[in-house]
Amino acid sequence: MSEAAEAEATTPGDATGPAAGPGGEPETVHGIPELVIISGMSGAGRSTAAKGLEDLGWFVVDNLPPSLIPAMVDLGARTQGAVARIAVVVDVRGRTFFDDLREALAQLESAAVVRRIVFLEAADDALVRRFENVRRPHPLQGDGRIVDGIEAERALLRELRGEADLVIDTTNLNVHELRAKMDAQFAGSSEPRLKATVMSFGFKYGLPVDADLVVDCRFLPNPHWIPELRPFTGTDEPVARYVFDQPGAKEFLDGYTELLRIITEGYRREGKRYLTLAVGCTGGKHRSVAMAERLAKRMQEDGVEAVVVHRDKGRE
């Protein structure tokens, strides 16, 4: 869906035109609210993400049946701009979840509502630990195990995950880090811009599951084998200098910057607003960190709101 800053007049409940006012005259409804739909795996942090938006001034409704989302946006539109941003948390506890959600999204699209879907993800073992810690069953496990409920939920949410504008993997995030991610994406942007997270990581610790693009820096010599560089990281000048003095490093940076320009322009045309670029090396300490820093700087120079996260730096 195109993400215009503000749509005019047509209410979410009526795609044919403005609502009729007194005397049958069209009634203009100014300021249709911006909408964020928060969904994802149970135990992955939906409530934390919603609380983060609430603290940023969003009007948040938890566990709203999907069929009521258009009505909620309609009510927000009638506040004459008093409710400009609405966040709705939906989950699979309603058994008609997807049929209702598809119909609701179709109504929102016909009414030109600016909407984004945030999907919270986490690895199975992390979800199991979280449910065991709070001593609560998974909402879909029935008489089975927690892992059975997780498997059933993943199957139900697979389609929605594919349609999400932003996927956040909370496996290795605490509540404060998740809140910081929500702040970075939603705090005070009146006009949606492309926002990127450039994440360095170590392949030996696994791929980031929320990555849209993955860059492999293992073709460069590893500073780990230089004794005087081993204690430092890619954010330190001696390591960064060593990395970019290697054959192919600067050429790769320049070439991938050009590729990113093509990709980000395509994202903008398609209405995608979020990009996670994962930059990997063996341990996530030297090469990937240095390259992630330079790539983020290049993206910022091209007008992308890029933030850098070093997932595995300091993990050794």
Side-chain angles (χ1 to χ4, degrees), residues 37-309:
I37 298 172
I38 300 173
S39 191
M41 298 297 295
S42 298
R46 293 185 308 240
S47 296
T48 299
K51 181 62 177 174
L53 290 184
E54 189 173 38
D55 289 345
L56 291 173
W58 290 65
F59 185 87
V60 178
V61 184
D62 195 1
N63 196 27
L64 184 72
S67 60
L68 297 181
I69 294 175
M72 176 60 64
V73 176
D74 189 19
L75 290 172
R78 295 177 186 277
T79 65
Q80 304 274 328
V83 178
R85 299 183 297 177
I86 296 175
V88 175
V89 183
V90 295
D91 59 37
V92 296
R93 282 175 283 185
R95 292 302 186 262
T96 59
F97 176 82
F98 274 110
D99 290 339
D100 291 346
L101 184 57
R102 287 192 192 96
E103 184 177 345
L105 292 177
Q107 290 184 47
L108 295 170
E109 185 169 2
S110 68
V113 174
V114 177
R115 62 89 174 150
R116 286 173 283 177
I117 298 174
V118 177
F119 191 96
L120 280 298
E121 172 68 278
D124 287 2
D125 55 347
L127 295 175
V128 169
R129 286 196 304 271
R130 292 171 190 176
F131 277 103
E132 289 177 342
N133 287 340
V134 297
R135 300 181 183 276
R136 295 181 62 186
H138 188 281
L140 296 186
Q141 75 180 76
D143 295 329
R145 301 173 300 161
I146 293 174
V147 292
D148 297 325
I150 293 172
E151 182 180 358
E153 188 174 36
R154 284 202 189 281
L156 284 171
L157 292 176
R158 188 169 292 116
E159 181 179 335
L160 180 62
R161 190 189 190 282
E163 296 179 4
D165 299 282
L166 174 63
V167 177
I168 300 177
D169 177 24
T170 68
T171 302
N172 297 309
L173 299 181
N174 59 39
V175 293
H176 305 293
E177 291 167 331
L178 176 54
R179 292 280 292 268
K181 277 185 172 283
M182 296 300 292
D183 288 351
Q185 300 294 347
F186 295 101
S189 66
S190 56
E191 263 191 51
R193 296 178 59 190
L194 182 61
K195 300 179 180 180
T197 298
V198 183
M199 176 188 299
S200 69
F201 73 97
F203 277 96
K204 70 180 182 180
Y205 301 116
L207 285 169
V209 300
D210 53 346
D212 298 298
L213 303 170
V214 177
V215 171
D216 187 353
C217 292
R218 291 175 295 181
F219 71 94
L220 295 169
N222 192 348
H224 174 81
W225 303 115
I226 310 297
E228 59 267 28
L229 295 180
R230 186 176 301 170
F232 298 101
T233 73
T235 57
D236 296 309
E237 180 58 28
V239 172
R241 188 186 313 115
Y242 174 85
V243 169
F244 287 100
D245 280 345
Q246 301 307 311
K250 292 177 182 176
E251 292 82 357
F252 178 82
L253 175 62
D254 292 339
Y256 203 78
T257 297
E258 289 301 319
L259 180 61
L260 283 172
R261 287 176 181 144
I262 297 171
I263 293 171
T264 54
E265 283 304 311
Y267 268 49
R268 290 187 179 102
R269 287 193 299 270
E270 292 299 311
K272 301 287 285 184
R273 301 299 176 190
Y274 307 98
L275 166 66
T276 298
L277 169 61
V279 185
C281 63
T282 303
K285 179 180 180 181
H286 296 114
R287 294 164 290 179
S288 63
V289 172
M291 188 65 72
E293 291 283 342
R294 294 288 182 93
L295 284 170
K297 184 177 180 181
R298 293 285 185 92
M299 296 179 79
Q300 291 165 356
E301 291 170 352
D302 288 336
V304 177
E305 294 184 17
V307 296
V308 186
V309 175

